[in-house]
């Protein structure tokens, strides 16, 4: 042992340093920044990838998203056991980072639609391949990011000597700053990359780029970390305290079960049944841990709401208007509001709110703060429900499977009277359409247009546009029956001119459209859409249509259309589906409420856990805390998959009510909780030990866990909750 200490001292003296800091920590900080960029960047666009690329509905997309997040918070336990009991921190980080990198690369490959698009129509022909690849990639990412989570910060703490407490403190501040910087930048950048168009045969949302950049950052993270290999202090595995705790609890349970007869005297606490095998100090420490873990039982419900920012709230944003004037916000970029508000709210809470509450004479204990945090998160979902109700009012009522919806488009310059069987007569103006779709329950209907009677055959569950003039019905067009995805716009052209026309925008060409024919729908992004209309003689007319989010238009080229400087005057754009009318800025209210809840719940919860845990079992409670996040995501996927609520706002209200009920239970549990001083309890048991065992026990509670303890202390100082 003395030889090991001597070798470690020599290595420490020979290590390069900069401004009193070991150079090795800079490799660790850069590694953490790149890794967090990789994780949060991929996660920001994940639910949209499921919905718009894989083609799953909202519920299944939400289910798989939260299954992935839950797995990311279950695997840290595995990573901690591997590092502490087998490979050590360095090898664990390297090996699992390789797994992580492979997973990110597989995700990027899975999003390339051209791989299986053999007919070059823009749609993958083998979606099973893409789905299987993405699931494999996500499993590897979850193993990687979760496995290295408990190792990196502690490994950074290992790089400092015992007299470098100030430098260690500064390191952890920079370390957590790198976490938030990586999260903030990736949440901003990857949605922009996703919004680009890419592809070999056809242009699609660029998910390969949105996943590829995080994959590249993970490669950089791995290379940077390995590059510092020769400068690291690497501790050998010393056994996992988590396994010791689990074994101690297991023995106590089995021993109590084996001695359940009346002839065996009762013991003060059920953990006392472990005294036959385990030290009383360890048993006392386990009791303290179990006391806190019992309070953790209601906590997953908070995370069930909190983590829906990346799933349900992102899907909600796709139905809203993201035009902020000077810039456009993508639906998945709204998640950036949370880290921005954290930076603002933490100092406000610490410097203004908490001192003000203290001056008012209120005893705002940590557990009471956590209860308030739960209530604030519930209020955030009430706000989300109210917003969803407003959004639903702007969404058209599409036909049911037993109905059809019809509107009439007049290709004549003069008005045409129309009579539909069972409906009030109306008049369609020249080169215009009827006001809105009319809903019919009958599929075979007598229609009179311009005085000419005809039998119209409509299709159940469809929207149709009837083309007509003074001579009666000419033909019927099938319209889209849902809002365009991702806030895009669906545009088609109807040629009322007696000569063929070609329509195009950028590189998309619709080909030649003859008289009374309609083009396919073009999916166009928001903003100014510049269409080119070309005749057989090569004459061109440029038509600009200002588009919002989620609209659909039928653009009529009338019979009096002529090429020239004023060619666009007679073109008529008819709105079939109105653009999203609710602005995305309204989501800031719910983001503000849930961020306030996060600040008083998550930061306070970590602080409380640290203060109530034995000095050598911080990692056990950290594992328990991460487990509550995993269980919370499991709750979401159960509700999303099994829920039969017809409206999204009702699901938001359900989650809010569940969290309010849980917060009441937690408040009752908190009322009966007695705060303890772990150091004082440990000291009592240490006094009973012989001197040599006492020293050995103190070493275990300090030196071996020094990196982790400082990790926890400084994470409380920085008050950042990204993990």
């Amino acid at each position: 042992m003395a030889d090991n200490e001597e070798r470690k001292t020599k290595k420490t003296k020979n290590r390069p340093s900069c401004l009193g800091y070991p150079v090795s920590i800079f490799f660790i900080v850069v590694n953490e920044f790149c890794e967090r960029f990789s994780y949060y960047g991929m996660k920001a666009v994940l639910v949209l990838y499921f919905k718009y690329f894989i083609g799953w509905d909202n519920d299944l997309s939400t289910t798989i998203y939260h299954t992935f997040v839950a797995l990311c918070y279950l695997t840290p336990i595995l990573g901690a056991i591997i590092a502490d009991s087998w490979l050590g921190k360095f090898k664990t980080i390297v090996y699992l980072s390789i797994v992580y990198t492979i997973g990110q690369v597989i995700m990027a490959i899975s999003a390339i639609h051209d791989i299986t698009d053999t007919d070059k129509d823009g749609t993958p022909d083998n979606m099973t391949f893409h789905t299987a690849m993405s699931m494999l990639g996500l499993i590897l990412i979850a193993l990687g990011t979760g496995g290295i989570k408990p190792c990196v910060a502690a490994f950074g703490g290992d790089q400092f000597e015992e007299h470098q407490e100030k430098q260690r403190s500064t390191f952890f501040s920079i370390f957590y700053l790198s976490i938030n910087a990586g999260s903030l930048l990736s949440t901003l950048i990857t949605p922009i990359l996703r919004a680009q168009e890419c592809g070999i045969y056809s242009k699609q949302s660029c998910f390969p780029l949105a996943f590829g950049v995080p994959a590249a950052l993970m490669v950089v993270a791995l290379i940077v970390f390995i590059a510092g290999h020769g400068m690291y202090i690497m501790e050998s595995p010393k056994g996992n305290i988590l396994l010791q705790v689990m074994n101690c609890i297991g023995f106590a349970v089995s021993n109590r079960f084996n001695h359940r007869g009346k002839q065996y005297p009762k013991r003060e606490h059920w953990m006392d049944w472990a005294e036959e095998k385990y030290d009383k100090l360890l048993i006392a420490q386990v009791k303290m841990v179990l006391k806190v873990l019992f309070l953790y039982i209601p906590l997953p419900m908070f995370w069930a709401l909190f983590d829906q920012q990346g799933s349900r709230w992102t899907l909600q944003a796709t139905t809203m208007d993201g035009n902020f004037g000077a810039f456009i916000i993508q639906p998945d970029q709204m998640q950036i509001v949370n880290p921005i508000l954290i930076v603002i709210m933490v100092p406000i809470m610490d410097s203004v709110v908490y001192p003000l509450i203290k001056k008012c004479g209120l005893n705002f204990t940590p557990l009471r703060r956590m209860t308030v945090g739960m209530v604030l998160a519930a209020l955030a979902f009430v706000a989300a429900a109210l917003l969803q109700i407003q959004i639903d009012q702007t969404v058209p009522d599409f036909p049911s499977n037993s109905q059809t919806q019809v509107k009439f488009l007049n290709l004549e310059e003069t008005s045409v009277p129309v009579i539909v069987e069972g409906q009030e007569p109306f008049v369609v103006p020249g080169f215009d359409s009827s006001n809105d779709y009319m809903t019919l329950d009958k599929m075979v209907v007598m229609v009179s247009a311009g005085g000419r009677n005809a039998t119209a055959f409509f299709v159940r569950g469809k929207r149709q546009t009837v083309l007509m003039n003074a001579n009666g019905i000419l033909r019927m067009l099938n319209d889209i029956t849902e809002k365009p995805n991702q806030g895009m716009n669906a545009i088609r052209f109807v040629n009322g001119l007696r000569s063929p026309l070609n329509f195009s925008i950028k590189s998309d060409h619709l080909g030649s459209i003859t008289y009374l024919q309609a083009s396919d729908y073009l999916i166009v992004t928001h903003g100014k859409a510049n269409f080119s209309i070309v005749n057989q003689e090569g004459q061109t007319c440029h038509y600009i249509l200002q588009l919002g989010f989620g609209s659909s238009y039928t653009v009529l080229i009338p019979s009096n259309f002529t090429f020239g400087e004023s060619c666009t005057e007679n073109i008529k754009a008819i709105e079939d589906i109105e653009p999203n009318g609710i602005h995305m800025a309204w989501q800031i209210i719910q983001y503000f409420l849930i961020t306030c809840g996060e600040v008083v719940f998550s930061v306070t919860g970590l602080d409380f856990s640290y203060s109530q845990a034995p000095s050598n079992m911080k990692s056990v409670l950290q594992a328990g805390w991460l487990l509550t996040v995993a269980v919370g995501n499991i709750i979401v996927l159960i509700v999303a998959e099994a829920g039969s609520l017809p409206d999204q706002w009702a699901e938001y209200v359900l989650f809010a009510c569940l969290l309010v009920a849980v917060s009441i239970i937690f408040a009752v549990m908190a009322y009966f909780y007695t705060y303890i001083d772990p150091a004082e309890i440990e000291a009592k048991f240490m006094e009973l030990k012989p001197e040599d065992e006492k020293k050995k026990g103190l070493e275990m509670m300090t030196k071996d866990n020094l990196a982790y303890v400082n990790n926890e202390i400084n994470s409380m100082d920085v008050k950042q909750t990204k993990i």
Side-chain angles (χ1 to χ4, degrees):
M1 182 175 178
D3 292 339
N4 290 336
E5 289 295 326
E6 186 178 350
R7 283 196 296 269
K8 182 177 176 180
T9 304
K10 288 180 180 179
K11 187 174 181 180
T12 302
K13 288 181 179 179
N14 295 329
R15 285 194 311 155
S17 62
C18 179
L19 301 176
Y21 294 86
V23 174
S24 58
I25 66 166
F26 296 103
F27 293 91
I28 297 172
V29 169
V30 174
N31 166 269
E32 184 67 10
F33 169 82
C34 294
E35 188 275 326
R36 291 290 85 185
F37 186 108
S38 179
Y39 173 74
Y40 282 105
M42 179 276 303
K43 184 168 166 255
V45 300
L46 187 58
V47 75
L48 299 186
Y49 168 76
F50 290 150
K51 181 175 182 181
Y52 298 127
F53 185 90
I54 301 296
W56 292 334
D57 61 17
N58 286 0
D59 288 343
L60 184 56
S61 299
T62 301
T63 297
I64 302 301
Y65 174 89
H66 287 283
T67 301
F68 166 70
V69 176
L71 190 58
C72 288
Y73 284 94
L74 286 172
T75 50
I77 298 175
L78 178 63
I81 293 174
I82 292 173
D84 292 343
S85 306
W86 183 27
L87 295 178
K89 298 184 188 73
F90 175 79
K91 289 184 178 179
T92 301
I93 294 170
V94 170
Y95 294 159
L96 290 181
S97 291
I98 293 173
V99 173
Y100 192 168
T101 304
I102 294 172
Q104 289 283 32
V105 171
I106 290 175
M107 278 299 296
I109 294 173
S110 74
I112 302 175
H113 66 275
D114 290 313
I115 292 178
T116 62
D117 187 13
T118 54
D119 55 7
K120 303 180 183 179
D121 64 348
T123 303
D125 299 324
N126 186 1
M127 191 57 74
T128 303
F129 168 81
H130 295 277
T131 304
M133 287 285 286
S134 61
M135 293 303 100
L136 175 61
L138 290 177
I139 291 172
L140 295 179
I141 291 170
L143 290 173
T145 188
I148 68 175
K149 192 185 295 291
C151 302
V152 180
F155 185 69
D158 289 344
Q159 307 309 305
F160 295 89
E161 300 176 59
E162 293 183 15
H163 67 274
Q164 292 182 302
E165 292 182 5
K166 183 179 179 181
Q167 290 89 340
R168 185 185 293 111
S169 175
T170 305
F171 160 73
F172 280 112
S173 297
I174 297 172
F175 182 84
Y176 283 97
L177 179 63
S178 71
I179 292 176
N180 285 271
S183 166
L184 194 66
L185 289 176
S186 63
T187 308
L188 176 66
I189 293 172
T190 50
I192 297 175
L193 300 177
R194 176 199 60 79
Q196 307 304 308
E197 292 184 343
C198 61
I200 301 173
Y201 308 125
S202 63
K203 301 299 180 184
Q204 307 283 343
S205 292
C206 205
F207 284 106
L209 185 60
F211 289 142
V213 170
L217 264 292
M218 196 57 223
V219 172
V220 173
L222 179 59
I223 293 173
V224 168
F225 186 75
I226 294 176
H229 173 266
M231 306 178 193
Y232 296 139
I233 292 178
M234 287 180 275
E235 301 279 353
S236 301
K238 298 174 181 174
N240 191 280
I241 189 67
L242 178 60
L243 288 178
Q244 294 181 36
V245 171
M246 294 171 64
N247 290 334
C248 183
I249 294 173
F251 179 78
V253 172
S254 63
N255 195 34
R256 176 67 183 90
F257 181 80
N258 294 332
H259 298 81
R260 59 186 182 276
K262 293 183 179 180
Q263 67 272 28
Y264 300 105
K266 291 184 178 180
R267 302 189 183 183
E268 185 178 350
H269 191 280
W270 63 271
M271 274 303 303
D272 293 334
W273 287 94
E275 289 180 352
E276 283 82 349
K277 184 176 180 181
Y278 291 93
D279 183 78
K280 288 187 176 181
L281 174 60
L282 177 63
I283 295 172
Q285 292 169 332
V286 172
K287 289 179 183 178
M288 289 185 273
V289 168
L290 290 175
K291 190 177 181 182
V292 178
L293 289 177
F294 176 71
L295 281 177
Y296 280 3
I297 293 175
L299 303 191
M301 200 65 224
F302 174 87
W303 300 113
L305 277 69
F306 179 81
D307 279 335
Q308 290 189 57
Q309 294 175 79
S311 57
R312 290 299 199 199
W313 287 13
T314 297
L315 293 172
Q316 183 186 62
T318 63
T319 63
M320 304 178 74
D321 181 0
N323 188 354
F324 282 76
F327 52 90
I328 301 295
I329 291 291
Q330 300 296 329
D332 32 359
Q333 278 182 314
M334 277 303 291
Q335 299 172 61
I336 202 173
V337 174
N338 175 253
I340 291 175
L341 287 176
I342 285 178
V343 175
I344 298 172
M345 292 305 301
V346 166
I348 291 177
M349 296 297 291
D350 286 345
S351 305
V352 179
V353 177
Y354 291 155
L356 187 61
I357 292 175
K358 189 175 182 180
K359 283 186 178 181
C360 293
L362 298 175
N363 185 18
F364 201 34
T365 62
L367 294 179
R368 289 176 182 174
R369 293 183 189 180
M370 294 175 68
T371 305
V372 170
M374 290 182 174
V375 174
L376 287 171
L379 290 175
F381 266 65
V382 172
L386 294 174
L387 180 59
Q388 189 64 48
I389 291 172
Q390 297 301 314
I391 293 172
D392 291 344
Q393 291 176 354
T394 66
V395 176
D397 291 324
F398 293 106
S400 66
N401 292 332
S402 62
Q403 296 175 325
T404 186
Q405 290 182 341
V406 184
K407 74 187 307 184
F408 293 82
L409 177 57
N410 182 9
L411 303 183
E412 190 81 22
E413 189 172 4
T414 58
S415 299
V416 175
V418 179
I419 300 175
V420 179
E421 181 184 350
Q423 305 292 323
E424 292 291 328
F426 56 94
V427 176
V428 181
F431 299 141
D432 206 343
S433 72
S434 51
N435 291 332
D436 201 356
Y437 288 92
M438 63 174 61
T439 302
L440 304 175
D441 295 321
K442 295 174 62 178
M443 300 304 111
V444 181
V445 181
M446 291 298 299
V447 178
S448 173
R452 295 178 179 269
N453 296 326
T455 301
F457 297 89
F458 299 113
V459 181
R460 293 183 186 276
K462 295 288 187 180
R463 278 186 161 192
Q464 293 180 286
T465 294
V466 178
L467 302 183
M468 65 177 192
N469 58 17
N471 296 322
I473 294 176
L474 302 174
R475 62 174 296 145
M476 288 186 290
L477 307 176
N478 290 325
D479 304 348
I480 61 173
T481 53
E482 63 179 2
K483 267 190 170 275
N485 291 331
Q486 304 183 62
M488 302 294 279
N489 302 276
I491 313 297
R492 69 177 174 185
F493 291 86
V494 172
N495 185 6
L497 194 66
R498 294 183 181 273
S499 63
L501 296 173
N502 288 280
F503 301 91
S504 63
I505 178 172
K506 296 181 180 179
S507 60
D508 291 325
H509 298 272
L510 292 172
S512 180
I513 309 298
T514 58
Y515 177 55
L516 298 183
Q517 296 294 315
S519 70
D520 294 331
Y521 280 102
L522 272 175
I523 303 302
V524 185
T525 188
H526 54 81
K528 289 184 178 180
N530 192 341
F531 297 94
S532 295
I533 305 170
V534 184
N535 63 8
Q536 290 180 317
E537 288 74 34
Q539 292 177 295
T540 302
C541 176
H542 293 287
Y543 175 65
I544 296 177
L545 188 60
Q546 184 67 42
L547 299 172
F549 296 80
S551 65
S552 175
Y553 288 89
T554 296
V555 180
L556 172 62
I557 308 299
S559 58
N560 61 355
F561 170 81
T562 57
F563 286 90
E565 292 184 2
S566 58
C567 63
T568 61
E569 288 183 359
N570 296 326
I571 297 177
K572 180 73 174 181
I574 297 163
E575 184 181 271
D576 297 330
I577 298 176
E578 65 179 355
N580 299 342
I582 306 298
H583 202 277
M584 215 177 282
W586 285 105
Q587 277 198 321
I588 294 176
I589 297 174
Q590 62 206 54
Y591 272 103
F592 173 77
L593 288 170
I594 205 161
T595 302
C596 290
E598 178 188 7
V599 170
V600 297
F601 176 88
S602 183
V603 175
T604 304
L606 288 170
D607 195 3
F608 166 80
S609 301
Y610 177 80
S611 67
Q612 297 296 290
S615 57
N616 66 330
M617 294 190 182
K618 311 297 182 183
S619 58
V620 176
L621 283 184
Q622 177 72 0
W625 182 265
L626 294 176
L627 188 61
T628 66
V629 181
V631 175
N633 282 272
I634 293 172
I635 292 173
V636 180
L637 67 92
I638 291 173
V639 173
E641 193 63 29
S644 57
L645 297 175
D647 299 308
Q648 183 57 54
W649 67 264
E651 184 180 292
Y652 289 146
V653 172
L654 172 63
F655 274 110
C657 292
L658 288 174
L659 186 55
V660 169
V662 167
S663 66
I664 293 172
I665 295 172
F666 182 77
V668 173
M669 295 170 64
Y671 179 79
F672 290 100
Y673 182 84
T674 303
Y675 291 85
I676 61 172
D677 183 356
E680 184 178 333
I681 295 174
E682 289 173 336
K684 291 180 180 178
F685 284 92
M686 292 301 295
E687 290 174 359
L688 302 175
K689 290 189 166 208
E691 195 64 28
D692 55 341
E693 290 186 18
K694 193 184 299 183
K695 289 180 181 178
K696 184 178 179 182
L698 287 171
E699 284 183 9
M700 288 179 62
M701 291 188 294
T702 55
K703 185 176 178 181
D704 290 349
N705 295 280
L706 191 58
Y708 188 85
V709 171
N710 280 278
N711 176 356
E712 289 293 311
I713 293 173
N714 289 283
S715 68
M716 297 307 104
D717 293 338
V718 182
K719 295 290 196 299
Q720 300 297 338
T721 59
K722 293 291 180 190
I723 51 178

